[in-house]
Amino acid sequence: MNIQRFRAELETRLLIEKEYLVQELSLIKDDREKLELLGKFNEKYKALIKRIAQEDGIDLDASDHNDPESLSNAQVILGKTMSIYDQLADELYEEITRQ
């Protein structure tokens, strides 16, 4: 598994999803509905991880069977990509609170 390539692909796709949600934001008047976009973004993050893993033939549940304490591929990916999600979620939150 090439985690750097996975991370870059995820970042690109998440940035696109964030921009779609920012566009959707302009159509929403209710503040609660605007904040619900953060939950929608979180779901997009999880779905994109699954989709990219599937495209790359990565078993998210697999781990190093020789090491009983090793992390699953999903845990490694989350650990290596959470900072991307956090940054983009923060940017989305700023957009939401600005409007």
Side-chain angles (χ1 to χ4, degrees):
M1 172 174 65
N2 182 337
I3 192 68
Q4 294 300 3
R5 192 187 67 69
F6 191 101
R7 189 177 194 278
E9 181 67 24
L10 180 64
E11 183 173 14
T12 299
R13 293 187 192 190
L14 266 181
L15 185 58
I16 292 167
E17 292 296 336
K18 185 195 92 166
E19 292 306 316
Y20 283 135
L21 292 174
V22 168
Q23 290 175 1
E24 187 176 325
L25 182 60
S26 65
L27 304 173
I28 301 172
K29 302 299 179 212
D30 182 64
D31 288 342
R32 178 183 279 169
E33 287 182 50
K34 288 180 180 181
L35 288 175
E36 288 173 1
L37 291 178
L38 290 170
K40 194 172 184 178
F41 186 67
N42 181 269
E43 293 302 316
K44 296 282 187 181
Y45 171 64
K46 291 188 268 184
L48 282 171
I49 287 175
K50 289 178 185 176
R51 185 176 309 133
I52 296 169
Q54 183 179 27
E55 290 170 3
D56 290 352
I58 298 169
D59 180 358
L60 292 175
D61 296 322
S63 60
D64 182 358
H65 296 294
N66 297 325
D67 181 2
E69 295 183 18
S70 70
L71 300 174
S72 70
N73 286 336
Q75 291 169 318
V76 170
I77 289 169
L78 287 173
K80 298 287 185 176
T81 63
M82 187 59 71
S83 62
I84 295 167
Y85 168 79
D86 288 341
Q87 176 188 348
L88 295 175
D90 286 348
E91 290 173 11
L92 179 58
Y93 178 76
E94 288 178 26
E95 287 288 334
I96 290 169
T97 57
R98 197 175 303 143
Q99 293 190 16

